[in-house]
Amino acid sequence: MIQYVLLISRQGKVRLTKWYSPYSQKERSKIIRELSGVILTRGPKLCNFVDWKGFKVVYKRYASLYFCMCIHQDDNELEVLEIIHHFVEILDRYFGSVCELDLIFNFHKAYYILDELLIAGELQESSKKTIARLIAAQDSLVETAKEEAGSLSNIIAQATK
Amino acid sequence: MSSQGGWGLSKEFLDLVKSIGEARSKAEEDRIVLHEIEILKRRIIEPEIPKRKMKEFIIRLVYIEMLGHDASFGYIHAVKMTHDDALMLKRTGYLAVTLFLNEDHDLIILIVNTIQKDLKSDNYLMVCAALTAVCKLINEETIPAVLPQVVELLAHQKEAVRKKAIMALHRFHQRSPSSVAHLVSNFRKRLCDNDPGVMGATLCPLFDLITADLSSYKDLVISFVSILKQVAERRLPKTYDYHQMPAPFIQIRLLKVLALLGSGDKHASENMYTVLGDIFRKCDSTSNIGNAVLYECICCVSSIYPNSKLLDAAAEVTSKFLKSESHNLKYMGIDALGRLIKINPDIAEEHQLAVIDCLEDPDDTLKRKTIELLYKMTKSSNVEVIVDRMIGYMISINDNHYKTEIASRCVELAEQFAPSNQWFIQTMNKVFEHAGDLVNIKVAHNLMRLIAEGFGEEDEGADSQLRSSAVESYLHIIGEPKLPSVFLQVICWVLGEYGTADGKFSASYITGKLCDVAEAHSNDDTVKTYAVTAIMKVCAFEIAAGRRIELLPECQSLIDELSASHSTDLQQRAYELQAMLGLDSRAVENIIPLDASCEDIEVNKSMSFLNGYVEKSLENGARPYIPENERSRMLNISSFQSPDQHVPSAHALRFEAYELPKPSVSVRNASVSFASSTDLVPVSEPMYEKEILHLASMSSMSDTRSAELKLRLEGVQKKWGRPTYSTPAPSTSNTNTQKTANGGSQHDGQGTLSSQAHETRDVPHNSRKSQIGVSPEKQKLAASLFGGSASKAEKKASSSTHKTSRVPAVEKPQVATAPQNESLNHPPPDLLDLGEPTISATATTTTSSSMDPFMQLEGLMEQNTGPVSVSKQPDLMALYGDTITTGLSGDTLTSGLSDYFANITQSSMGAPEAAHTTQPSSSKKGPNRHDSLEKDALARQMGVTPSGKNPNLFSDLLG
């Protein structure tokens, strides 16, 4: 079972956190601080796994963003590595070539996607298509297109003129 | 981009994100967030906030919380938002509360009602959102409130809902198994769900259930095997494929379940052999996911009843892992090796050099894993090398958690396999010196016991030799600064008991040393207690032997000082010591007999010596004694119970104080009589022993532990008694190898032939890689680790060099010709029922192809065309354009990225067909110049310039 998911930038900034086991805010900060200290300093050719206080943390770097998942001792590390990649591929499909900036400003969307992928720390769906369909269905209901027309598309229009 | 609404937040919030992004230090970030908290605190309580604004506030709270600050002032508003009828707001509310609240938070009670309502909603998305919240928020107390509805949803027409309902039930089961015990059959039912997603999700709870209760799920073996077979044969919808593997995540889960079910069960295991062999053969070992499945296969094979052919296949994959350049695979290989040697210890030998490479690797993770492996394969012949390595590593790390673990492992191995007393004491000294404060106190007690009792051999001489070598080494070490408290306790105790035993050291020398210890650790009462007790013993032995005691002045001043100590225990001991000094030798001999720590103390359980007193009191009209368990029922006063005597008084409140922590040694050694005695009258044995024996009991009780708990691996060849495995059973997969190997090693005896063949097959690879590089030290290390003598290793090395030229031909055995044992399997029920026309549209499109023998060829074709198309892919060209416009330099495309490069381009080939079913904007798969221009412009507008500190923000994560 996955204990928590962290997205940390190369500068050590937190981009996303999701905790599947109860941790107090203090513990969370401690984990993030210590873990980023360990992971960010690891060389590129080393294992993507780190021993972590009786647990294991599997991480993978995409561009400047580190995706980390903390798992049990007896979980399959390679599988978790692929779960991370699975998540990134889904993000990529959703945002259209996802970049860190997408996640910075749309962290709540990333949460929704993560909720469709993992539930209670277990992989609930391994089909990209199914997840994409669900998220799209939610978006289409949520979107009230007019609200969107306001702020940003105008800005873009001006900027690209 | 904008059609996805990603940026539909106010300028204000975007500014916040931006300024956080630009913060140069954590302090600056904190300042900004605190400012934001102030603003939100003020604004969120304003009356009549528009809902859309409120939604944004909630998202801002999430952001604050994500950055590690406390947003609890806004939790209630998030809770309120879940009550809203609009799905958009409700979803935000649920998201926020699941992120904010832990399962025991007080506010949850306010959400339960809403969840109940939403679970009944017509809109399946509403139900999904509620179920997601259920998984996070519903605790043991609130389970009954939603349970009926969740169970109902198991039959919902939407597969997404069924899947989430299963996961929710699973969560309930984790939280409180009893609450859903009657619903367990639902999991079995859902295993046959038409939707593979639901079936896959069901495997999670089933895994837990099977872990808890193996026997009642044995009947499912056939079903699991048949599902796995169907999955491996690509009969699931294409959408479950992942990097050309058929539903690998589901395969892995199934393999985990099978590993449990087949463990130690020959009959069940036999059903699995065929499908496991198939997976070994079919699995693509070039992709990461393929290796993940293969690794799980190895785990499964090493867990179920052994089959030599499968073990061969597993060993082969393991050696591939170990030889890989990738650290990840090496790591998995080491782990797999650790599993396989439990069944056949010989396997380790062929990989000795690879293992040593991993041991000396700069990668800490790999090193730890290897040390773990060494720990598993320790026997008396290699214990010295291994423990030495482990201690060396233990000294080098700072991670206390791991230090503790490795220290206790060292102790365990040393106790189990110690070749000599000298070595044992030395090793323990090292462990205590460097990790003394981290090891469990019981380790120290164990050590004292061992020194007191010896290794259980009859030979008294050896025991006393052990003691005097301990005393000597401790006297040597005692002066060192900063010894851990636990170690000092051991030292003091041993010096007290045996310091003067062999007459080498005078009593005044020992007491002087002990005084020094007490003085140097004046703020550690425990050490002082041990020291003063030890002094008392030394003096007592002197007096008993008829010698006069000349108390050293520092000793006298110590006694004086302790007599005025704040610790009553210390005070008492000091007075006792003083009083004892004035007694004659006969009295002293009775008080503190020589070397009495191992003697059993007779306990008068019935306390018959009190009978006279009791009878007299009864005659005088005292009330008769009521056994405690009856008393508590009548009077409900249980506060005088001893900590061990928990009378289960069913409904009464219990007023006794918390249990005292039990001495850990006695817990470990709780014998049957201990356990059963809890129902007896309070004056029963265990309590008494504990109170009287003190230290003596600590050291004397756990005598049989090390002998009982640990399996000696030495000489344990085959766990399951398969006589055929290590003899040359010519399996189709490696007959070739054996023939080539035989040429070189025919003079070897029949028994070792097979293992020799393995060695010669694998060692060459290493020698080819580093023929000159394998230093003599390494070979020596290998020899000492893997049980052989140095000459044996040399022989291996030399024989391996002969073979080098032949290796490539041998490297890939032709596994495809291995015969299949189809007849073992009953015709399996088609659980997934994919042939039915009633299933969803996605399924039908692919089922037709499921029988197609050309399917696998197709897969091959795809693989072949994949790399070729890289140059044609227009998106990729755009990628480079993209990186230039965003000012990204080449070095940000890291190696991690390029690893995946090929995979992505392959998978993106299949993307367009899937994408146009989702939404128009995402149909443009891959980097797109227009998109990135927009993003860039937008970001510039927001003020996040791609230059400066965050140049990487713009690089696409997947490249």
Side-chain angles (χ1 to χ4, degrees):
Chain A
M1 187 191 139
I2 295 167
Q3 306 291 305
Y4 47 80
V5 178
L6 301 179
L7 268 63
I8 304 173
S9 81
R10 207 178 55 174
Q11 293 84 14
K13 288 186 174 156
V14 180
R15 299 302 186 208
L16 195 87
T17 60
K18 180 91 186 176
W19 309 84
Y20 293 106
S21 299
Y23 292 92
S24 71
Q25 192 64 268
K26 211 173 158 192
E27 288 169 316
R28 294 177 182 187
S29 304
K30 189 162 173 263
I31 288 172
I32 293 171
R33 197 175 55 241
E34 292 180 5
L35 199 58
S36 48
V38 172
I39 287 175
L40 299 182
T41 51
R42 276 173 74 83
K45 287 224 157 167
L46 306 182
C47 290
N48 290 66
F49 325 128
V50 198
D51 260 353
W52 188 254
K53 315 197 165 175
F55 291 99
K56 287 183 294 197
V57 172
V58 176
Y59 70 93
K60 182 145 184 71
R61 180 177 168 170
Y62 291 90
S64 59
L65 202 54
Y66 286 82
F67 288 68
C68 316
M69 290 188 181
C70 177
I71 52 169
H72 271 292
Q73 277 298 344
D74 46 3
D75 283 332
N76 182 338
E77 292 92 340
L78 289 180
E79 182 200 7
V80 177
L81 209 53
E82 289 308 300
I83 292 178
I84 292 179
H85 190 67
H86 188 48
F87 180 42
V88 175
E89 282 187 353
I90 294 165
L91 288 173
D92 192 55
R93 181 177 287 193
Y94 180 77
F95 287 106
S97 70
V98 64
C99 71
E100 192 179 340
L101 210 58
D102 289 321
L103 299 183
I104 294 174
F105 287 104
N106 295 295
F107 60 91
H108 53 297
K109 304 250 168 188
Y111 273 125
Y112 289 133
I113 294 172
L114 190 59
D115 275 345
E116 292 303 326
L117 180 74
L118 300 175
I119 206 164
E122 304 274 5
L123 183 71
Q124 65 159 322
E125 182 56 70
S126 57
S127 157
K128 280 193 268 286
K129 198 171 170 187
T130 311
I131 293 178
R133 225 179 326 155
L134 263 173
I135 294 284
Q138 289 171 6
D139 277 354
S140 65
L141 269 175
V142 167
E143 301 289 315
T144 40
K146 279 171 205 158
E147 288 181 349
E148 291 302 319
S151 53
L152 274 154
S153 50
N154 290 341
I155 300 174
I156 293 165
Q158 284 166 7
T160 46
K161 250 174 205 169
Chain B
M1 187 69 236
S2 59
S3 65
Q4 297 199 354
W7 307 69
L9 300 161
S10 74
K11 178 90 168 68
E12 212 179 2
F13 179 50
L14 295 178
D15 279 345
L16 169 73
V17 177
K18 190 190 97 186
S19 60
I20 294 281
E22 283 173 350
R24 278 161 215 281
S25 65
K26 184 78 184 144
E28 194 183 340
E29 185 186 303
D30 287 348
R31 205 170 39 75
I32 297 168
V33 174
L34 289 178
H35 179 66
E36 169 73 8
I37 289 175
E38 285 311 309
I39 294 176
L40 281 177
K41 268 187 185 165
R42 216 172 44 238
R43 295 194 53 191
I44 208 163
I45 49 169
E46 281 171 10
E48 300 194 15
I49 305 171
K51 283 183 174 167
R52 228 182 116 246
K53 197 78 201 156
M54 195 62 185
K55 179 185 160 210
E56 192 191 295
F57 285 153
I58 300 291
I59 290 178
R60 282 157 79 166
L61 288 175
V62 171
Y63 189 67
I64 291 168
E65 188 103 348
M66 191 173 89
L67 293 177
H69 292 262
D70 178 39
S72 54
F73 64 90
Y75 288 177
I76 187 68
H77 299 281
V79 171
K80 261 194 233 159
M81 184 149 279
T82 62
H83 303 337
D84 203 287
D85 288 330
L87 180 60
M88 173 181 74
L89 299 173
K90 190 181 277 294
R91 199 164 73 126
T92 310
Y94 275 136
L95 175 69
V97 290
T98 53
L99 289 168
F100 291 155
L101 307 181
N102 274 331
E103 58 174 28
D104 51 357
H105 201 281
D106 296 336
L107 288 175
I108 286 176
I109 205 72
L110 297 177
I111 309 174
V112 173
N113 206 3
T114 319
I115 290 179
Q116 279 179 323
K117 207 177 79 213
D118 289 342
L119 289 177
K120 288 182 198 142
S121 165
D122 297 335
N123 185 344
Y124 80 99
L125 291 172
M126 199 88 101
V127 181
C128 280
L131 279 172
T132 309
V134 163
C135 287
K136 178 75 203 275
L137 299 176
I138 295 299
N139 52 29
E140 203 176 335
E141 283 145 42
T142 40
I143 286 175
V146 293
L147 190 57
Q149 280 149 20
V150 172
V151 173
E152 219 168 278
L153 291 174
L154 287 174
H156 197 275
Q157 52 166 349
K158 281 282 184 185
E159 61 277 359
V161 174
R162 293 201 298 272
K163 186 175 66 194
K164 286 196 161 70
I166 283 285
M167 298 307 269
L169 265 192
H170 178 210
R171 195 66 172 164
F172 295 164
H173 180 259
Q174 282 176 338
R175 296 241 160 98
S176 152
S178 58
S179 66
V180 289
H182 57 292
L183 299 166
V184 161
S185 61
N186 282 297
F187 293 131
R188 283 166 172 268
K189 248 184 261 163
R190 281 300 127 211
L191 189 62
C192 311
D193 200 283
N194 280 334
D195 184 74
V198 181
M199 184 272 290
T202 314
L203 296 173
C204 292
L206 280 174
F207 179 81
D208 280 7
L209 288 169
I210 293 171
T211 313
D213 177 18
L214 262 178
S215 51
S216 37
Y217 291 89
K218 292 282 185 191
D219 58 313
L220 285 181
V221 171
I222 304 278
S223 316
F224 286 129
V225 168
S226 105
I227 296 174
L228 182 56
K229 196 157 175 284
Q230 294 175 56
V231 174
E233 285 171 357
R234 297 181 177 270
R235 298 194 29 203
L236 288 194
K238 261 269 181 217
T239 51
Y240 282 87
D241 280 10
Y242 180 83
H243 296 181
Q244 270 90 45
M245 283 282 293
F249 297 109
I250 293 176
Q251 284 194 43
I252 288 173
R253 267 189 207 154
L254 281 165
L255 286 167
K256 279 188 173 154
V257 169
L258 289 182
L260 282 180
L261 285 170
S263 170
D265 183 339
K266 190 173 180 202
H267 178 69
S269 302
E270 275 166 357
N271 290 315
M272 306 170 190
Y273 291 157
T274 321
V275 71
L276 288 173
D278 282 352
I279 293 177
F280 266 125
R281 223 170 314 117
K282 279 184 194 161
C283 224
D284 164 28
S285 64
T286 56
S287 71
N288 195 36
I289 188 68
N291 287 323
V293 175
L294 281 174
Y295 166 76
E296 206 58 58
C297 264
I298 297 175
C299 295
C300 185
V301 164
S302 59
S303 159
I304 63 175
Y305 190 89
N307 168 293
S308 60
K309 217 180 269 176
L310 288 176
L311 283 169
D312 283 342
E316 202 174 303
V317 174
T318 306
S319 72
K320 246 186 230 162
F321 282 178
L322 284 170
K323 285 173 199 159
S324 157
E325 286 299 306
S326 148
H327 273 68
N328 286 350
L329 289 186
K330 277 188 190 169
Y331 177 93
M332 301 315 270
I334 293 282
D335 187 275
L337 194 58
R339 292 168 189 273
L340 290 177
I341 55 166
K342 280 187 203 152
I343 299 167
N344 181 6
D346 294 340
I347 292 178
E349 258 180 61
E350 49 181 288
H351 300 297
Q352 36 185 303
L353 289 178
V355 170
I356 288 166
D357 279 342
C358 291
L359 190 63
E360 280 161 6
D361 199 276
D363 187 346
D364 208 45
T365 313
L366 193 53
K367 198 180 257 181
R368 278 187 196 186
K369 196 80 197 173
T370 316
I371 287 178
E372 207 174 286
L373 171 71
L374 293 184
Y375 164 73
K376 282 182 199 158
M377 51 184 254
T378 308
K379 44 195 173 188
S380 41
S381 61
N382 57 14
V383 64
E384 289 171 78
V385 194
I386 289 179
V387 172
D388 192 51
R389 284 267 158 178
M390 285 166 77
I391 291 179
Y393 181 69
M394 183 185 81
I395 295 171
S396 73
I397 55 172
N398 294 321
D399 173 356
N400 277 352
H401 184 275
Y402 195 67
K403 222 173 186 169
T404 314
E405 196 177 312
I406 201 169
S408 58
R409 282 180 173 178
C410 286
V411 172
E412 192 188 323
L413 291 179
E415 282 180 8
Q416 220 179 326
F417 299 113
S420 72
N421 295 335
Q422 192 77 26
W423 180 86
F424 176 74
I425 298 290
Q426 295 289 338
T427 306
M428 296 306 270
N429 287 354
K430 269 190 238 163
V431 172
F432 275 107
E433 219 176 319
H434 295 106
D437 285 329
L438 300 171
V439 297
N440 197 318
I441 186 79
K442 74 183 168 214
V443 174
H445 294 156
N446 253 339
L447 176 60
M448 292 189 236
R449 173 182 55 76
L450 262 170
I451 292 174
E453 297 185 336
F455 281 96
E457 286 135 29
E458 293 303 298
D459 185 7
E460 259 303 309
D463 287 352
S464 59
Q465 199 196 339
L466 168 73
R467 290 168 193 163
S468 45
S469 72
V471 168
E472 233 167 284
S473 72
Y474 289 159
L475 284 173
H476 185 68
I477 240 171
I478 200 168
E480 282 179 26
K482 286 192 195 161
L483 288 177
S485 168
V486 178
F487 191 29
L488 284 165
Q489 291 166 25
V490 175
I491 291 178
C492 288
W493 187 84
V494 171
L495 289 184
E497 284 284 327
Y498 307 111
T500 53
D502 60 358
K504 231 190 232 173
F505 304 99
S506 72
S508 60
Y509 179 69
I510 302 279
T511 42
K513 287 284 184 190
L514 288 167
C515 286
D516 292 346
V517 171
E519 211 170 300
H521 300 85
S522 52
N523 43 13
D524 188 340
D525 276 356
T526 326
V527 170
K528 276 200 281 187
T529 315
Y530 270 86
V532 80
T533 314
I535 293 173
M536 180 153 44
K537 281 186 215 161
V538 171
C539 292
F541 299 154
E542 284 299 290
I543 295 172
R547 286 187 285 267
R548 261 193 66 77
I549 286 284
E550 289 293 337
L551 212 53
L552 298 170
E554 67 235 51
C555 189
Q556 188 58 52
S557 67
L558 179 72
I559 295 174
D560 292 344
E561 183 207 320
L562 295 185
S563 310
S565 167
H566 286 298
S567 154
T568 48
D569 184 31
L570 270 175
Q571 242 188 62
Q572 183 180 350
R573 280 169 203 264
Y575 279 117
E576 278 172 8
L577 171 56
Q578 204 141 34
M580 191 206 67
L581 288 174
L583 294 173
D584 67 358
S585 67
R586 255 198 62 235
V588 169
E589 213 171 337
N590 277 320
I591 301 171
I592 303 182
L594 185 66
D595 192 17
S597 64
C598 306
E599 267 157 40
D600 293 330
I601 294 179
E602 296 248 336
V603 178
N604 186 343
K605 272 191 259 178
S606 60
M607 297 202 286
S608 52
F609 53 88
L610 285 176
N611 284 351
Y613 174 78
V614 172
E615 269 164 37
K616 213 161 152 196
S617 303
L618 284 174
E619 275 168 24
N620 290 342
R623 288 200 304 165
Y625 176 74
I626 306 163
E628 187 142 19
N629 46 358
E630 286 166 36
R631 195 180 346 156
S632 66
R633 213 174 298 149
M634 286 158 32
L635 298 172
N636 199 10
I637 303 169
S638 43
S639 48
F640 287 100
Q641 281 182 358
S642 90
D644 275 355
Q645 311 287 317
H646 270 310
V647 182
S649 48
H651 297 292
L653 283 171
R654 295 200 341 225
F655 293 103
E656 77 266 39
Y658 286 120
E659 265 188 63
L660 290 170
K662 299 175 191 174
S664 38
V665 177
S666 65
V667 173
R668 279 186 79 158
N669 295 288
S671 62
V672 184
S673 70
F674 276 37
S676 61
S677 66
T678 43
D679 290 332
L680 298 175
V681 286
V683 277
S684 62
E685 179 181 25
M687 170 188 146
Y688 242 63
E689 256 184 16
K690 223 172 279 165
E691 281 174 9
I692 295 168
L693 284 179
H694 280 307
L695 258 183
S697 72
M698 299 275 189
S699 53
S700 66
M701 283 197 307
S702 53
D703 42 7
T704 48
R705 191 192 70 86
S706 59
E708 277 173 0
L709 287 187
K710 270 293 146 185
L711 257 170
R712 285 198 178 218
L713 278 178
E714 131 195 55
V716 182
Q717 179 101 346
K718 305 126 201 156
K719 205 171 178 185
W720 302 98
R722 286 165 310 101
T724 50
Y725 184 65
S726 56
T727 55
S731 63
T732 42
S733 62
N734 59 6
T735 34
N736 279 343
T737 17
Q738 282 181 358
K739 271 175 200 155
T740 50
N742 281 350
S745 56
Q746 241 154 12
H747 55 277
D748 279 308
Q750 267 298 83
T752 58
L753 183 76
S754 161
S755 66
Q756 279 291 334
H758 280 290
E759 275 157 30
T760 43
R761 182 161 53 113
D762 289 295
V763 173
H765 182 88
N766 288 310
S767 55
R768 190 177 35 165
K769 192 174 66 188
S770 53
Q771 207 159 8
I772 319 144
V774 179
S775 63
E777 291 125 66
K778 252 187 202 177
Q779 284 182 9
K780 214 168 143 197
L781 177 59
S784 49
L785 275 179
F786 294 88
S789 61
S791 63
K792 194 178 164 196
E794 270 163 35
K795 195 178 77 190
K796 273 173 213 152
S798 64
S799 75
S800 66
T801 43
H802 289 307
K803 301 284 182 301
T804 322
S805 57
R806 276 185 235 168
V807 173
V810 183
E811 208 62 30
K812 285 196 176 170
Q814 296 181 340
V815 271
T817 55
Q820 289 186 35
N821 212 346
E822 292 288 0
S823 59
L824 265 177
N825 264 13
H826 314 282
D830 198 355
L831 275 168
L832 295 168
D833 235 354
L834 291 174
E836 288 291 317
T838 50
I839 46 165
S840 64
T842 48
T844 41
T845 53
T846 49
T847 39
S848 56
S849 63
S850 62
M851 298 299 179
D852 193 345
F854 290 101
M855 272 310 293
Q856 291 179 14
L857 279 178
E858 246 173 71
L860 281 174
M861 293 287 283
E862 267 174 38
Q863 272 179 339
N864 287 340
T865 52
V868 180
S869 68
V870 168
S871 55
K872 293 179 199 161
Q873 194 91 346
D875 283 353
L876 274 169
M877 299 310 289
L879 169 79
Y880 295 113
D882 179 30
T883 54
I884 293 157
T885 53
T886 53
L888 183 87
S889 56
D891 60 14
T892 52
L893 282 172
T894 60
S895 58
L897 258 174
S898 50
D899 278 352
Y900 270 98
F901 208 71
N903 284 339
I904 303 315
T905 47
Q906 275 175 31
S907 67
S908 64
M909 298 246 313
E913 57 163 82
H916 59 72
T917 58
T918 55
Q919 54 190 143
S921 62
S922 66
S923 63
K924 305 172 291 200
K925 163 72 193 136
N928 176 298
R929 187 184 289 270
H930 181 69
D931 259 7
S932 45
L933 262 180
E934 261 182 24
K935 265 184 204 169
D936 186 28
L938 181 54
R940 278 172 203 280
Q941 196 72 32
M942 305 321 313
V944 187
T945 42
S947 60
K949 296 171 313 301
N950 281 347
N952 287 317
L953 290 184
F954 290 85
S955 55
D956 297 335
L957 291 178
L958 278 170

